[in-house]
Amino acid sequence: MRPVQPSSALVLSRRRAHAFQQARKTALALERHGRRSRTHGHDDWRPWHRRVWPSCRTVPFLTFLVFLVAFIAVLPDAAHAVTTFTIAMILPLSDPSLGPSMIAVRNVTQLALPAMNALDPANYAFQLVSYDSQRSRSGAITAMVQAVARDNAVGILGEYSSLISIPLALAGNPHQLWQCASATSSEMSIKAEFPRYFRTIPDDPQQGLRMAYLARAMGWTSVNLLVGTDFYGQSIGYNFQLSAATLGISVETSLTFNPGTTDVTAAIAAIKASASNIVVFAAFAPDGVAIFREARRQGILGPQYAWVGSESMSLYLSSLDPRDPKYATDMANAQGLLYLFPRQASATNEFAALQARYTATYGGNTDVASISYGTIFYDCALAMARGLIQVANRYSASAVLAHVSNASLTDFITTFDGASGRVVFDAVGNRIGDFDVYNVYNGAATVAFSVAASGAVTTVATPHFYSGSTTPPPDRPPKSIAYPNYGDPGVIVLTALRALLLAAILATMFYLSTMRHLAAVKNLSWPFLVTITTGCVVMLVSEFLGIGVPVGAWGCHASGWVLAVGFDLVMASAGVKTYRIFSIFANKRLAALKGVNNSNLMRIVTATVLVQCLIFAIWVGAFPLAPQLSVNKAYIMYECKAVSPAGATAYPILLGVSLGYNGLLLLAVAFFGYKTRNVMSAFRETVWIAYTAQNIVLASLVAIPFSLIQLPEWGLGTYYLRSAVLLYAIAFTFYALVGRVAWTLVHSGVMHQHANNPAPLTGRAVSTTQLSELHAAAAAAAGTTSTTRAADAMKVSLHHDSGRVAHVHGVYAVKSTSAPWYALPAWERRAVHLYAADGMLVIVPDAVHASGIVLKLKCVQFDPDPPAAPAPFCVELFHTGAKGGSWMVQMGSQAEHDAWVKVLGSVCLRSTASKLRSTGGKTSGGTGSGGFKSTVEGESEMRGMHRAASAMPALGAGAGAGGGKRPQIGGKGTGVGPR
């Protein structure tokens, strides 16, 4: 604070009082002197009337003379006396964010002194003193008290906000302080409480109306409102809602926040969930920073959104600190912002004079109009000076200085031309004026529109919104349909793929029906192939039922019910097939196998489906779900919800029962598939069933959560993902259990030649060079001779001494029958070598320096007439070692086939499947899984099948030497060596 100095008016008053006091003392002294002369003068010889008359005439004369001299002495001072009024500026100069802007405002306001002192220089002068409010109510009131006590301030310019200006005005009322500020709250228009407050900025009702005018001009009929809980925010919010209702603009959400807080998460989340993308808000610049940061975090700053702020947002850019690490982000957050501000720049002479004084004082090329609130407070100072002169002229300057004028606001305010244009007040001291709309883009604010009091919105410059577009974003963006419908491209694509798969399934079944007489089809049990196919078709059809607007309980339950029935048909059929194989190879008594014929197994499948239907019947009948329309700002979707509280309680229970039931079924299939995974030849179908169970488990982990959890933000994304996964699962299931049979039959007899050679599947790799060395070593050690048997392609070397076979080889078409389904194995030329003395079987590509595989004969079994052979003259080789594997070898002729069978029979075991077929004897057509007939014709035949299963080597990974001990399914067991 500067030291206290008496004003010139106070000095003049003291001088006048002193002069009159001296004159009065002189007159009294003279009068006392005359009385003393009359009382003590005894030598006066004149008559009494002569003595009295001179004294009676001299005393008044002398008194008059003294007063005349005193008056003449002070007359020059009285003629040239000038009354000085002190006005205090109280602004938040030390605030970290607003301080720099308020200092600039103070500098502009101080330049008003020349214009103020030029109003009546002969009688009045003005001085401005500056105080810091510290942006607090207590700080502002303390500054006001000091301004009155030290400077005898008669007027206040400030504070910046309504929150502080209101208590400041109330505290200044006892001192009859005149106040002008940028506070726009309509609260301060109540003259009973704020009799001496006026403003050169339009009040909140005018600003709220102009904001509504702008929204209407942009074509927005739906907005969100976000305001602070202080006087400023509540005033703008209230008046905007009144104006919006009049103009037909609906406020979707009206939200508040506490000024100064940094947590506006809930308010921004509510705006994000609302139906409108337009946000009208009233916030000071520091609050605007917090709001924009949270809006960015929640994703509502973008091309789909528009933000319209009040005039206080004019300080947003200048309040940012370039040293802040978030400075660049905060600048970008305001991209496309629109905010209103009273029109500042004008073509008046006062603005030109202000600009000239500012340039002369501070230099540079700064446009005064770019200093927010600069001309507002400048005109406040001019209006304050004019008002004080009017009141002083009417009620005396001394009354103003003594704070006892009791003047009213109508005695004070007057219309004038200021730096911001024509300043016209209404009856309560509010300025009536127009607004400009500023557009922030690329870090600069420019005027885009002008909004007049009549509601006319004039485009000054093309605005740019967040993405750079000059087209205002719609208030209600077009809503996407978040339920599957045939108008969506993704749904159309999935529907087409589903239809193609359905057609492929039906075509495959038609083809297999024409080939059902073949052993490859018979051995997979035609009735269960049909039920599996039916289940796949039913599951595909269930997806069609979920497209479109759901209607009633059927619309919510149909798709899930039908899908569950299809799933049960597939899994139950696969499960009973693996169970039958497990029963045959695990049971010791013939009586235990009587229940695994097709009729009994089909009853199990039917019962499984009926249980699932019973669960859904209870669900639909007692606790139905009904579709409910759910709409948000981006999507329209339907949600199936329980129609009663009991249904809401039963929903998770029934859903859990249904999913648990299907889960147990899937677990059973996976268990039996795993236990029978090593069964050879036709029984190897169980491996594919195990693959199917694994894929369904993986698909369920994705499909089930996305079927139960609705994510509106994803739109149809959850449907796309679930449907694609389900489509894959159905396609894989059909191929693994049915389609691969047709694929094998279609490609039977066709020997594909490929330039690329697949990697070895099992066994020990060996090259052709090593093979020739092995051949030479065997010949040298045993002394063999080569001969040709059965055909030119088969070459046999016999031992010289014993005449037994030492080496057999030939080049044939070979195809792996144990490769994964996705490998799509093809026929390839391979050289097959059998070294009896060394106990090895070698399969190597018919090329130089190529790699192949070596199998130990004690771990090799063969099937001379494989039922799944796609071509004649085939022998299937099986490796029962740790790595497993099987190969189909096509001989050149029947004679060559028979010769190889004879050689293999002398050194290897026949496969169990081959033995079972020969032991079973009489069959009557299509049989169960693995080639078993659907009906048991006699106990002796079943015993033969059971004996064959008992004679089967271990299905596990290990292989020992010697047999005799019955192996357990899934165990390591003991192997059978070569004969």
Side-chain angles (χ1 to χ4, degrees):
M1 300 295 179
R2 62 178 182 78
V4 179
Q5 296 180 357
S7 65
S8 58
L10 186 60
V11 173
L12 176 62
S13 178
R14 291 175 179 175
R15 291 175 61 186
R16 287 177 178 175
H18 178 72
F20 280 102
Q21 187 68 23
Q22 293 298 323
R24 184 172 179 274
K25 290 180 179 180
T26 302
L28 292 175
L30 290 175
E31 184 177 359
R32 285 194 299 269
H33 175 73
R35 282 200 292 268
R36 283 197 301 270
S37 297
R38 290 193 301 269
T39 304
H40 305 285
H42 301 287
D43 57 348
D44 194 351
W45 53 266
R46 289 176 298 174
W48 66 268
H49 62 277
R50 291 283 184 96
R51 292 195 302 268
V52 172
W53 182 82
S55 63
C56 293
R57 290 187 302 172
T58 301
V59 172
F61 174 76
L62 292 176
T63 301
F64 171 76
L65 183 61
V66 170
F67 275 101
L68 180 62
V69 172
F71 177 77
I72 293 173
V74 302
L75 184 61
D77 289 334
H80 298 88
V82 176
T83 302
T84 301
F85 295 123
T86 301
I87 302 171
M89 290 187 294
I90 302 178
L91 296 171
L93 302 176
S94 61
D95 183 74
S97 58
L98 298 179
S101 299
M102 292 297 104
I103 291 174
V105 169
R106 181 195 62 184
N107 295 340
V108 172
T109 306
Q110 286 177 336
L111 297 178
L113 276 174
M116 296 165 65
N117 290 327
L119 293 175
D120 190 354
N123 298 302
Y124 303 101
F126 300 90
Q127 67 174 353
L128 296 173
V129 293
S130 177
Y131 287 87
D132 181 15
S133 69
Q134 303 173 19
R135 204 187 176 192
S136 67
R137 288 170 289 188
S138 61
I141 293 175
T142 300
M144 182 271 294
V145 173
Q146 292 177 351
V148 173
R150 296 180 181 180
D151 302 307
N152 193 32
V154 296
I156 297 175
L157 302 180
E159 213 255 4
Y160 159 70
S161 67
S162 299
L163 179 66
I164 300 177
S165 295
I166 288 177
L168 182 61
L170 295 174
N173 281 343
H175 302 283
Q176 294 191 15
L177 294 177
W178 300 97
Q179 182 181 4
C180 181
S182 60
T184 57
S185 172
S186 56
E187 183 83 6
M188 305 189 77
S189 297
I190 303 175
K191 294 298 106 177
E193 297 187 24
F194 306 95
R196 278 167 289 277
Y197 180 82
F198 64 99
R199 44 197 162 197
T200 55
I201 183 173
D203 60 341
D204 290 341
Q206 296 185 69
Q207 185 171 189
L209 178 61
R210 302 307 197 284
M211 296 173 86
Y213 282 151
L214 175 64
R216 183 181 65 177
M218 295 292 101
W220 300 327
T221 59
S222 173
V223 300
N224 300 295
L225 181 62
L226 177 63
V227 296
T229 55
D230 58 347
F231 293 106
Y232 174 70
Q234 293 300 299
S235 179
I236 287 186
Y238 173 76
N239 288 284
F240 174 79
Q241 290 191 74
L242 290 180
S243 303
T246 304
L247 299 177
I249 300 173
S250 63
V251 178
E252 296 294 333
T253 56
S254 180
L255 305 163
T256 60
F257 66 92
N258 293 322
T261 185
T262 58
D263 184 10
V264 289
T265 304
I268 299 301
I271 293 174
K272 183 178 181 179
S274 72
S276 176
N277 281 357
I278 310 302
V279 184
V280 176
F281 69 109
F284 296 115
D287 297 323
V289 173
I291 290 172
F292 281 154
R293 286 178 180 177
E294 183 61 26
R296 172 177 286 277
R297 190 185 72 82
Q298 296 197 29
I300 60 172
L301 287 181
Q304 301 87 8
Y305 292 85
W307 292 72
V308 180
S310 59
E311 39 78 28
S312 57
M313 287 300 292
S314 61
L315 298 177
Y316 179 87
L317 296 178
S318 61
S319 69
L320 301 178
D321 187 356
R323 297 169 297 179
D324 190 336
K326 298 181 179 180
Y327 175 78
T329 302
D330 290 335
M331 290 287 288
N333 288 344
Q335 190 85 322
L337 169 68
L338 299 176
Y339 67 83
L340 280 75
F341 198 87
R343 185 169 301 166
Q344 289 196 95
S346 66
T348 63
N349 294 330
E350 193 62 49
F351 179 82
L354 169 62
Q355 183 66 62
R357 287 195 294 271
Y358 189 90
T359 302
T361 304
Y362 299 103
N365 298 318
T366 302
D367 183 3
V368 176
S370 66
I371 301 175
S372 296
Y373 298 98
T375 58
I376 298 296
F377 277 91
Y378 181 94
D379 286 346
C380 262
L382 294 183
M384 183 72 75
R386 291 176 180 273
L388 289 173
I389 291 174
Q390 288 189 167
V391 172
N393 288 339
R394 182 170 182 177
Y395 296 96
S396 79
S398 59
V400 175
L401 291 171
H403 306 280
V404 294
S405 67
N406 295 323
S408 65
L409 188 62
T410 56
D411 299 328
F412 191 91
I413 57 178
T414 183
T415 300
F416 66 96
D417 290 325
S420 60
R422 186 74 172 168
V423 180
V424 180
F425 297 100
D426 61 14
V428 292
N430 298 319
R431 182 178 180 178
I432 302 173
D434 295 334
F435 281 80
D436 288 330
V437 179
Y438 286 79
N439 176 219
V440 178
Y441 193 74
N442 290 338
T446 56
V447 178
F449 304 100
S450 176
V451 185
S454 62
V457 177
T458 304
T459 301
V460 178
T462 303
H464 292 82
F465 294 90
Y466 188 89
S467 63
S469 171
T470 58
T471 303
D475 53 353
R476 293 177 180 267
K479 292 181 173 58
S480 301
I481 298 178
Y483 60 88
N485 63 93
Y486 288 110
D488 182 81
V491 175
I492 294 176
V493 171
L494 287 171
T495 301
L497 293 176
R498 203 176 294 121
L500 290 175
L501 179 58
L502 190 60
I505 290 176
L506 296 177
T508 300
M509 285 308 295
F510 175 78
Y511 173 74
L512 288 179
S513 66
T514 63
M515 299 292 178
R516 58 185 300 180
H517 61 281
L518 297 178
V521 179
K522 289 181 180 180
N523 294 336
L524 294 178
S525 184
W526 173 252
F528 290 107
L529 291 179
V530 172
T531 57
I532 291 173
T533 303
T534 303
C536 292
V537 170
V538 169
M539 286 192 289
L540 288 174
V541 170
S542 71
E543 286 294 281
F544 290 101
L545 299 177
I547 300 176
V549 178
V551 179
W554 176 252
C556 288
H557 292 280
S559 180
W561 192 341
V562 174
L563 178 63
V565 169
F567 177 83
D568 289 345
L569 282 173
V570 174
M571 287 294 99
S573 299
V576 296
K577 293 176 73 174
T578 55
Y579 170 73
R580 175 158 56 189
I581 298 172
F582 178 83
S583 299
I584 292 172
F585 289 98
N587 286 283
K588 298 180 179 180
R589 296 184 300 110
L590 178 64
L593 302 178
K594 293 183 177 180
V596 294
N597 57 70
N598 283 352
S599 299
N600 290 335
L601 297 181
M602 194 61 71
R603 292 189 187 96
I604 296 176
V605 173
T606 304
T608 303
V609 175
L610 290 177
V611 171
Q612 186 66 260
C613 291
L614 178 63
I615 296 173
F616 271 91
I618 296 174
W619 195 347
V620 177
F623 311 103
L625 302 177
Q628 295 183 10
L629 181 64
S630 177
V631 180
N632 64 11
K633 69 190 310 176
Y635 301 104
I636 299 175
M637 62 185 301
Y638 285 90
E639 295 179 319
C640 289
K641 296 183 178 181
V643 297
S644 65
T649 303
Y651 172 77
I653 299 175
L654 292 170
L655 179 63
V657 170
S658 179
L659 293 177
Y661 178 75
N662 290 328
L664 290 175
L665 178 60
L666 182 60
L667 184 62
V669 172
F671 173 78
F672 288 121
Y674 175 79
K675 283 295 186 179
T676 58
R677 67 191 183 282
N678 290 324
V679 176
M680 296 299 176
S681 192
F683 301 107
R684 201 173 60 253
E685 180 191 17
T686 57
V687 175
W688 288 93
I689 293 177
Y691 288 160
T692 301
Q694 294 171 8
N695 273 269
I696 291 177
V697 169
L698 295 177
S700 299
L701 293 177
V702 177
I704 292 177
F706 283 102
S707 298
L708 301 178
I709 301 175
Q710 298 291 336
L711 298 175
E713 294 80 5
W714 279 42
L716 284 171
T718 55
Y719 171 79
Y720 296 152
L721 182 59
R722 182 186 64 82
S723 296
V725 170
L726 185 60
L727 191 64
Y728 158 77
I730 295 173
F732 180 88
T733 299
F734 179 77
Y735 174 82
L737 303 183
V738 180
R740 66 187 178 91
V741 181
W743 178 270
T744 302
L745 294 177
V746 168
H747 290 270
S748 62
V750 180
M751 299 175 62
H752 298 280
Q753 301 296 331
H754 294 280
N756 60 315
N757 295 318
L761 298 176
T762 58
R764 178 168 58 87
V766 62
S767 67
T768 52
T769 303
Q770 294 171 329
L771 185 63
S772 61
E773 294 173 355
L774 179 64
H775 187 190
T784 59
T785 59
S786 300
T787 183
T788 300
R789 294 285 306 276
D792 293 337
M794 179 181 180
K795 298 183 176 52
V796 181
S797 298
L798 301 178
H799 196 279
H800 277 269
D801 297 332
S802 63
R804 300 179 66 179
V805 174
H807 174 227
V808 182
H809 74 282
V811 179
Y812 307 104
V814 179
K815 183 177 76 170
S816 172
T817 56
S818 60
W821 66 274
Y822 48 82
L824 298 177
W827 291 99
E828 296 178 341
R829 291 181 61 81
R830 293 287 187 269
V832 182
H833 297 264
L834 188 150
Y835 297 93
D838 296 297
M840 292 184 294
L841 179 67
V842 180
I843 302 176
V844 65
D846 186 24
V848 179
H849 301 297
S851 298
I853 56 176
V854 177
L855 306 174
K856 292 183 179 180
L857 289 176
K858 68 178 181 178
C859 298
V860 175
Q861 297 181 11
F862 72 98
D863 189 339
D865 187 20
F873 318 134
C874 287
V875 174
E876 191 166 12
L877 304 175
F878 305 100
H879 182 249
T880 61
K883 296 183 178 180
S886 59
W887 298 264
M888 190 76 71
V889 182
Q890 186 183 26
M891 310 305 174
S893 64
Q894 185 64 47
E896 189 172 5
H897 170 271
D898 295 340
W900 267 102
V901 169
K902 184 176 180 180
V903 172
L904 290 171
S906 65
V907 294
C908 303
L909 290 177
R910 289 184 61 184
S911 69
T912 305
S914 175
K915 292 179 181 180
L916 288 176
R917 286 197 302 275
S918 62
T919 305
K922 304 173 183 178
T923 59
S924 57
T927 61
S929 176
F932 294 108
K933 59 187 180 179
S934 59
T935 59
V936 180
E937 297 184 357
E939 186 176 337
S940 60
E941 183 176 0
M942 184 63 75
R943 287 197 182 97
M945 296 169 61
H946 192 251
R947 284 194 302 272
S950 301
M952 178 181 175
L955 298 178
K965 183 177 179 181
R966 185 177 185 276
Q968 300 295 321
I969 287 194
K972 293 185 177 180
T974 57
V976 179
R979 296 177 181 176

